Amino acid sequence: MKWRLTLVLLGGVCLILSGILRWLRPGQDDLAVTWSMLGAIVTALPIFRDALLGFRSKAFANTEFYMNQFITLAVIACFVTQQYVVGGVVAIILLVGHILEDRSMLGTNEAINSLLHLSRVTARRVRGGVEEEVDAESLGEDEIVRVRPGDTMPADGLVLSGFSTVNQATITGESLPVEVEAGATVFAGTSNLTGLIEVKVTKTGTQTVLGRVKEIVEEAQQTRAPIVRLTEEYARYYMPLILLVAGFVLFFTQDVQRAISVIVVSIPCTFVLAGPSAMVAALAAASRMGILVKSVRFFEVANEIDTVVFDKTGTLTTGELRVAAIAPHDGMTENELLALVAAVEQHSTHPIARAVVTTAQDRQLRIANAEDVQEKHGHGLVARVGRLDVVVGRGAWLMEQAIEIPQKEKNFDDLSALHIGVNRKLAGIIYLSDTVRAEAKGVSADLRAGGVDHLMMLTGDRRSVAESIAEHVGMTEFKADCLPEQKQEAVHKLKTGGRKVMVVGDGVNDAPALAAGDLSVAMGALGSDVAIQTADIALMASDLRRVPHFLALSDKTLRIINQNMLCGFVFIAAAIVLSGVGLIPPIAAAFIHEFGAFFVIFNSARLLRFEGKIA
């Protein structure tokens, strides 16, 4: 940029000297022409250089090459007709305009760059009780760092001591800070607000949540949406068409300046910037709201979605199950049954397992060690506890194991049930309850307002539980007692019926269904490697409202791109006509071209102000 500005300055000085010489020495035109020619050459050098380098360019850079071709042709035409001053001034205007365009695009990128620079902080490492400041990138696992109020977390870690509040908005988009104390997990790039804490480093560099987010955002910036690729495809036909128009203008008017003006106003900046400028701004807005988008093409995919499929546990509900009731059978007490199930479930990470183990621990029960633990995905667990063969899981699965299940108690129809079989006999049922997310009902209404006409809930839970929740949150349809493969089949069936399906889940248990959708969204991806890596869209916080917000952002992005393309077409068409009839000289054409480019950039920048409201 400095090199370009230097050449612009030198070229401008040469052109000014040319004008001064014409005024002071009117009889020495050759000297004035020499200075004006020198000024035109100096200012045209970066343009010619970019045009030559463009022969090897690809993708978006290739469309820039087409723009440089137009500018080169216009400047060469000025040289051929010996209009050096006009050529130099046109080159200066276009060069300065492109520099300002680059600066404007840098401003659009700043929202993303602020995220990418978060990890470039210093850390207060503690060794032998002595505190020292080091670069965060030099930290290793298991090292201890001291984080004071106002500091940025240098790495992912586990709080060892202290109490504080942490602002995680840089990653999750949530404005409210979270409280952390000993045992809590903190993430690199978040801000410590109130208290002094000591943190044991668990992940550093690219292994942290922020590191993975950075990599994905950087990759997303390099991707191209179909509408952008379409623009690039037709760019190769644009130049011959404009040259044909300029040739007609020159043939019928015999005025070279009119032809030059046609070429200058036709430089396709408005078309080339229409898509990328909007996509980059949308990517920045999504990142600010804690919505991690893997590729800009998903903005276009989201604009076609008419069906949203939700998982229940952990998505429509909080996933924080609790034991609501215990119904022992065959002479067992509640505590005996709970301790037996906890012995098996302590080896699982499923929300039901965590709820059972937590309840057993709260009751201070002795939890034995289970042996030969085997998990059948979507069904339950089999294990041996002492001399007992224990089967824990879905009622239908226990029946497949020849364990008889009596008719369920009506009082517990609205609760999830965990069946326990011991030595081929039913030992009892543990009933669990979950909490529906407060925002779930409002999200259903927002999605319908945004054009989604079909909402489905898929769950492995009982029909009575599923029906109650589906009715509460406003689902169009639901399917209960679903195994993972059945969820996948349900999504495939919707797609076969012509539906464009978005699947929203937790990114782990719903992997088959997420993979089957046209677009997959993982909830609460903060700290989850699987969710970040497998989903198309990752919501860093467990906030369902981000789903309609992303769809609204996608809709607004596509509308702004269409506005840019339409305005660019009308603008260039009108300018060509006015240039052809002689109303726009070449210098004015250069100014008009830059006005069109800046209109596109600033129109796209409106996306940066998107706050998640349904447009």
Side-chain angles (χ1 to χ4, degrees):
M1 190 175 294
K2 289 182 179 179
W3 177 70
R4 288 169 178 256
L5 285 174
T6 301
L7 291 179
V8 166
L9 181 61
L10 290 175
V13 169
C14 292
L15 293 175
I16 291 172
L17 284 175
S18 171
I20 293 174
L21 286 173
R22 289 180 187 277
W23 177 56
L24 292 178
R25 299 183 179 182
Q28 298 182 356
D29 286 344
D30 290 345
L31 185 61
V33 169
T34 300
W35 277 104
S36 62
M37 182 173 63
L38 182 62
I41 292 173
V42 170
T43 52
L45 278 177
I47 296 173
F48 293 155
R49 173 182 174 273
D50 291 343
L52 290 173
L53 292 177
F55 281 109
R56 297 182 179 180
S57 60
K58 296 179 179 180
F60 174 64
N62 202 30
T63 56
E64 291 183 330
F65 163 57
Y66 288 119
M67 290 191 293
N68 289 323
Q69 281 182 317
F70 276 89
I71 302 172
T72 301
L73 283 173
V75 174
I76 289 176
C78 291
F79 270 83
V80 170
T81 57
Q82 297 185 352
Q83 300 182 50
Y84 303 119
V85 174
V86 173
V89 172
V90 167
I92 288 173
I93 294 171
L94 295 177
L95 273 176
V96 172
H98 285 184
I99 290 171
L100 293 175
E101 289 168 22
D102 290 341
R103 295 296 299 175
S104 300
M105 286 297 290
L106 285 175
T108 303
N109 278 288
E110 190 57 35
I112 294 177
N113 292 336
S114 62
L115 171 68
L116 304 184
H117 294 156
L118 281 175
S119 60
R120 299 176 186 176
V121 299
T122 57
R124 306 176 195 273
R125 184 169 59 193
V126 179
R127 284 183 174 176
V130 179
E131 181 181 302
E132 58 178 344
E133 286 196 4
V134 298
D135 192 285
E137 294 182 356
S138 67
L139 292 174
E141 290 187 17
D142 297 329
E143 289 192 312
I144 308 300
V145 293
R146 190 169 289 156
V147 187
R148 301 182 185 277
D151 288 351
T152 299
M153 295 293 173
D156 287 7
L158 194 66
V159 178
L160 297 179
S161 63
F163 177 85
S164 183
T165 53
V166 177
N167 181 6
Q168 296 182 344
T170 50
I171 295 180
T172 66
E174 292 292 334
S175 58
L176 295 177
V178 297
E179 295 182 346
V180 297
E181 57 185 357
T185 302
V186 291
F187 302 98
T190 57
S191 301
N192 186 30
L193 300 180
T194 57
L196 173 67
I197 56 176
E198 288 196 352
V199 177
K200 178 183 178 181
V201 176
T202 56
K203 293 180 181 178
T204 61
T206 57
Q207 299 302 313
T208 64
V209 171
L210 178 62
R212 296 193 299 275
V213 169
K214 284 173 55 179
E215 289 180 352
I216 291 171
V217 171
E218 287 173 336
E219 289 175 5
Q221 285 183 282
Q222 304 304 317
T223 59
R224 293 176 297 151
I227 193 171
V228 176
R229 290 196 295 271
L230 185 65
T231 304
E232 295 169 2
E233 180 66 25
Y234 283 101
R236 68 185 66 182
Y237 304 108
Y238 180 76
M239 186 175 182
L241 176 63
I242 295 302
L243 290 178
L244 187 63
V245 172
F248 273 112
V249 170
L250 180 61
F251 179 79
F252 286 107
T253 65
Q254 300 298 310
D255 188 340
V256 175
Q257 289 211 18
R258 294 190 187 188
I260 293 172
S261 296
V262 168
I263 293 173
V264 172
V265 296
S266 301
I267 298 172
C269 270
T270 50
F271 294 131
V272 172
L273 294 173
S277 61
M279 289 298 183
V280 170
L283 194 62
S287 300
R288 175 171 47 81
M289 292 190 295
I291 303 173
L292 185 59
V293 184
K294 292 289 194 68
S295 170
V296 294
R297 69 182 179 85
F298 294 134
F299 289 111
E300 280 197 69
V301 176
N303 201 51
E304 301 175 350
I305 296 297
D306 57 19
T307 301
V308 179
V309 175
F310 292 93
D311 174 49
K312 181 182 76 69
T313 305
T315 304
L316 290 175
T317 65
T318 62
E320 297 175 359
L321 298 173
R322 63 181 182 85
V323 175
I326 302 175
H329 290 254
D330 203 23
M332 297 188 73
T333 65
E334 285 190 9
N335 286 346
E336 288 174 344
L337 181 64
L338 185 61
L340 184 64
V341 177
V344 178
E345 295 283 17
Q346 65 182 325
H347 298 279
S348 174
T349 59
H350 194 278
I352 290 178
R354 291 198 300 267
V356 171
V357 173
T358 299
T359 303
Q361 291 172 342
D362 291 342
R363 295 191 182 188
Q364 298 182 343
L365 302 179
R366 179 181 175 276
I367 302 176
N369 290 323
E371 299 175 348
D372 300 328
V373 179
Q374 298 178 15
E375 181 171 2
K376 185 171 177 60
H377 189 55
H379 292 81
L381 294 165
V382 177
R384 186 170 183 81
V385 182
R387 297 182 178 181
L388 303 178
D389 292 322
V390 183
V391 182
V392 179
R394 299 157 59 94
W397 187 50
L398 265 68
M399 293 176 68
E400 292 177 8
Q401 311 299 314
I403 299 175
E404 186 179 349
I405 306 294
Q407 187 175 2
K408 299 175 180 61
E409 302 176 36
K410 294 182 180 179
N411 293 337
F412 299 125
D413 276 351
D414 59 344
L415 300 177
S416 301
L418 181 67
H419 296 77
I420 304 97
V422 176
N423 294 336
R424 301 293 178 179
K425 291 184 179 181
L426 182 68
I429 304 173
I430 295 179
Y431 295 94
L432 302 103
S433 63
D434 198 357
T435 304
V436 178
R437 294 187 185 277
E439 72 272 17
K441 191 171 184 178
V443 166
S444 299
D446 288 343
L447 287 172
R448 287 192 171 89
V452 177
D453 59 7
H454 192 81
L455 301 175
M456 175 184 279
M457 183 184 76
L458 300 176
T459 178
D461 215 334
R462 296 184 302 161
R463 181 176 179 84
S464 56
V465 178
E467 185 175 11
S468 174
I469 293 177
E471 183 178 353
H472 175 74
V473 300
M475 292 289 107
T476 311
E477 183 182 356
F478 72 91
K479 290 186 181 297
D481 297 310
C482 287
L483 297 174
E485 56 269 23
Q486 292 173 323
K487 294 180 181 181
Q488 183 183 28
E489 290 172 4
V491 174
H492 277 306
K493 186 176 180 181
L494 288 169
K495 291 176 64 177
T496 303
R499 292 276 179 178
K500 294 295 183 179
V501 184
M502 171 191 281
V503 182
V504 186
D506 60 15
V508 181
N509 295 328
D510 312 289
L514 287 170
D518 294 295
L519 192 63
S520 60
V521 180
M523 285 275 295
L526 182 61
S528 171
D529 293 336
V530 176
I532 290 179
Q533 296 300 330
T534 59
D536 300 327
I537 313 294
L539 307 184
M540 303 308 290
S542 296
D543 187 350
L544 275 175
R545 290 173 296 182
R546 295 290 188 258
V547 175
H549 290 173
F550 173 70
L551 294 180
L553 175 62
S554 301
D555 178 66
K556 188 170 184 179
T557 301
L558 267 293
R559 283 193 282 114
I560 283 183
I561 290 176
N562 290 331
Q563 289 172 11
N564 289 344
M565 298 291 285
L566 178 61
C567 291
F569 175 77
V570 172
F571 186 84
I572 289 178
I576 288 175
V577 172
L578 294 176
S579 298
V581 298
L583 296 179
I584 300 179
I587 294 176
F591 279 109
I592 290 172
H593 157 263
E594 293 302 332
F595 173 80
F598 279 107
F599 169 81
V600 168
I601 291 173
F602 288 114
N603 188 46
S604 297
R606 292 191 297 126
L607 288 166
L608 294 173
R609 300 195 300 270
F610 185 82
E611 295 294 338
K613 296 179 180 178
I614 301 298

